[in-house]
Amino acid sequence: MMSRFTGAGAGDRRRKAGWLVPMEKDTLGSVLADVLAASHRLAPRAIPDLVRDAGRRLGLSGARLYVADLQQRELVALPEPEEARRIVADGGNEDLETLPVDGSLAGRAYRTETAQLSRPDAGDADRTGWIPVVDGIGRLGVLCVTAPELDAGLLHRCEALADLLAMILATKQPYSDLLARTMRARPMSLQAELVWAFLPPRTFGTAAVTSSAILEPAYEVGGDAFDHSLAGEVLHLTLLDAMGHDLASGGCSATALAACRSARRAGGRLDDIAVEIDRTLDRWIPGRLLTCVIASLDTTTGRLDWINCGHPPPLLIRDRRVVTGALDRTPHPPLGLTGYDVPPPDVHSAHLQPGDRLLLFTDGVTDARSATGELFGEQRLTDAVDRALADGLPAPEALRRLIQQILVHRGHHLTDDATLLLTEWHPRQG
C-alpha cells in the first residue's frame, strides 16, 4: 500500500506519480526517512494524516498528535482537514478535542516527560499510550498511540517518531496560523502579538545548561519580555519590564530586545548592552522607563555576570533551597534616563556551583494581590520555588506550577505582567 504523502525531497527511486512509495520492509529507519522527506513541503493541515500513516507503518492501529495550548492548561488535538478549514475560516477552535494537562494520563506524560500507558480494560481491543513530544527539552505536546500490544520495542519506535514530529512542529509553527489558532484559547491583544513575535522559544538546553521561561497573562501581556541565547559556551539571559501595559509598552520591550540583541551580537559587554538600550529608548520611545536584569553565564566555569537596572534581584537556588540575599546588589536606575547623565550600570559577578539554579522574575510576580489585597510577595515565591524543586520537577514544569500558584492567588486575573526565567547550570562531571 502506498503512502499518501508527496515525496518532495525524496529520491526518484522513492517516487511514483507524486506519492512516496514505502521500502520493501517498513523498518523504523525507512519510516522516519519517509516522514522527514514528506515534511519539507508538508502543509501544517496535513500533519494528522502524516502521523496516522507513519503509525500504521510502525504497527499501530492509530496515532494522533496533541499540542499544548499557550498557557499549558490543555492538550489540543491537531485538527483534521475539515476542522482545519473551519478554523482558518472563522478562527474558532472550541470544537477540537482537548485533554487537561492536570488530571489526565496524557497530561501526566506531558508534565513528567515520560511515556504513559493506559490500564488494559476487558473488552478493549487496543491499548493506549501517551508519548511526550519534546523539541530538545521544550515540551510541545503528546503523541497518542494505540495498538493491541504496546511492548517495549514498539514504544521505542513511537518515541523516535514523537521526536521527529517535535522537530516538524517546531519548524512549521512560526509560519502557521492554523497551529497558532489551534494553540490559542482566545484572541490575543495587539500588544501581546507584538511581544510574542519577538520572544525566543520558551525552553532550550544543552548538556551544560537548561533555561526556561513563562509569561502571563499570555493573551494580554504588554511590558514584559525575556531572552535567552547561547554564544559559544556563554549563555545570555535578559528579562525586561517596560512601564505600562499598553501597545507602547509592548513596543518598548520589543525595541529593547532588538537593541539588546544588536549590541550583544556585535560583541558588546553587559554594560554596553544597557547603554545601547538606554540610547535606543531615548531616541525612539522617549519618556518610557524599563527595568531589566541582563546576565551572562559561562557554562564552562560557572561565572555569572549581571547588571540590574531597577529590577527585583535574581534568586540563587542551591540544593533546592533559595540562598537568601546571595545576589542582592544595589540596583542601577531604570533604563530610559539618558538625559539625566546616569553612568553605565555596574557589572556584578558571582560563581555558581554545579546544580545551581538562577531565577529571574518581574515585579508582577511578587506584587500580585489576592482579592483581600494580600501581596504574593518574595517569601511566598521562595516557598513555592522550594516546593516545586523539592519534587524534582524539570524546569518547564516547575515554572508552569509556579505561575499557576500566582494565578490562583490573583483569582486568575493579573493586572500586571508576571514573568519567570529559570536557568540551571549542570556541567558534565569528570
Side-chain angles (χ1 to χ4, degrees), residues 168-318:
I168 293 171
L169 275 177
T171 58
K172 304 293 182 185
Q173 188 175 324
Y175 64 82
S176 172
D177 278 1
L178 174 62
L179 290 176
R181 292 178 183 180
T182 299
M183 297 168 67
R184 294 183 183 183
R186 60 181 185 272
M188 186 173 283
S189 70
L190 186 58
Q191 61 263 32
E193 285 281 7
L194 177 62
V195 171
W196 281 107
F198 274 79
L199 296 182
R202 287 182 290 195
T203 300
F204 79 92
T206 69
V209 70
T210 297
S211 188
S212 187
I214 196 163
L215 188 158
E216 286 285 352
Y219 296 95
E220 293 88 25
V221 61
D224 283 10
F226 66 86
D227 199 12
H228 41 199
S229 178
L230 279 169
E233 302 299 324
V234 176
L235 172 68
H236 289 275
L237 303 168
T238 302
L239 193 61
L240 308 170
D241 184 359
M243 179 181 67
H245 198 265
D246 53 16
L247 182 58
S249 302
C252 180
S253 59
T255 301
L257 271 186
C260 174
R261 290 168 179 166
S262 175
R264 187 181 74 217
R265 292 166 182 171
R269 303 183 310 268
L270 296 182
D271 50 351
D272 297 326
I273 293 171
V275 169
E276 182 63 24
I277 293 174
D278 206 38
R279 290 172 177 168
T280 302
L281 295 182
D282 183 63
R283 179 179 180 184
W284 298 108
I285 313 179
R288 285 276 170 169
L289 300 183
L290 176 143
T291 71
C292 66
V293 170
I294 305 174
S296 63
L297 172 63
D298 188 318
T299 62
T300 301
T301 67
R303 178 188 171 100
L304 173 70
D305 296 322
W306 79 98
I307 59 175
N308 184 342
C309 300
H311 204 81
L315 297 182
L316 175 63
I317 303 165
R318 179 168 293 159

Side-chain angles (χ1 to χ4, degrees), residues 71 214-216 365 398-408 414 418-420:
Q71 295 174 298
I214 196 163
L215 188 158
E216 286 285 352
V365 172
L399 287 189
R400 191 186 73 88
R401 295 193 185 186
L402 277 173
I403 206 74
Q404 283 187 335
Q405 292 182 50
I406 296 165
L407 288 168
V408 168
L414 293 175
T419 307
L420 297 154

Side-chain angles (χ1 to χ4, degrees), residues 11-267:
D12 289 340
R13 66 185 180 85
R14 305 289 301 282
R15 290 183 188 157
K16 183 177 181 182
W19 305 100
L20 275 180
V21 180
M23 302 285 280
E24 291 182 3
K25 183 179 180 181
D26 275 337
T27 63
L28 174 61
S30 68
V31 173
L32 296 184
D34 283 356
V35 170
L36 181 60
S39 71
H40 294 304
R41 297 187 183 180
L42 185 77
R45 67 175 181 276
I47 293 177
D49 283 341
L50 176 68
V51 173
R52 257 193 308 271
D53 182 80
R56 290 192 185 109
R57 292 176 60 187
L58 290 177
L60 300 171
S61 54
R64 190 166 191 188
L65 194 56
Y66 292 70
V67 293
D69 77 317
L70 187 62
Q71 295 174 298
Q72 301 179 85
R73 296 177 182 174
E74 293 183 323
L75 296 164
V76 187
L78 280 191
E80 299 295 338
E82 190 60 41
E83 294 173 317
R85 282 190 285 271
R86 178 184 56 77
I87 290 173
V88 171
D90 61 27
N93 67 348
E94 59 276 359
D95 295 330
L96 295 179
E97 180 188 353
T98 61
L99 299 166
V101 169
D102 293 299
S104 70
L105 200 58
R108 185 177 180 184
Y110 179 83
R111 297 191 314 270
T112 63
E113 300 178 29
T114 56
Q116 302 293 319
L117 295 178
S118 65
R119 297 180 182 275
D121 293 327
D124 284 352
D126 287 333
R127 196 171 184 188
T128 301
W130 300 93
I131 315 296
V133 176
V134 183
D135 179 41
I137 63 167
R139 305 178 300 181
L140 300 180
V142 294
L143 174 65
C144 176
V145 297
T146 55
E149 183 59 42
L150 289 170
D151 57 28
L154 183 53
L155 280 176
H156 170 72
R157 295 192 290 275
C158 292
E159 288 170 345
L161 175 62
D163 288 344
L164 182 54
L165 292 174
M167 296 174 64
I168 293 171
L169 275 177
T171 58
K172 304 293 182 185
Q173 188 175 324
Y175 64 82
S176 172
D177 278 1
L178 174 62
L179 290 176
R181 292 178 183 180
T182 299
M183 297 168 67
R184 294 183 183 183
R186 60 181 185 272
M188 186 173 283
S189 70
L190 186 58
Q191 61 263 32
E193 285 281 7
L194 177 62
V195 171
W196 281 107
F198 274 79
L199 296 182
R202 287 182 290 195
T203 300
F204 79 92
T206 69
V209 70
T210 297
S211 188
S212 187
I214 196 163
L215 188 158
E216 286 285 352
Y219 296 95
E220 293 88 25
V221 61
D224 283 10
F226 66 86
D227 199 12
H228 41 199
S229 178
L230 279 169
E233 302 299 324
V234 176
L235 172 68
H236 289 275
L237 303 168
T238 302
L239 193 61
L240 308 170
D241 184 359
M243 179 181 67
H245 198 265
D246 53 16
L247 182 58
S249 302
C252 180
S253 59
T255 301
L257 271 186
C260 174
R261 290 168 179 166
S262 175
R264 187 181 74 217
R265 292 166 182 171

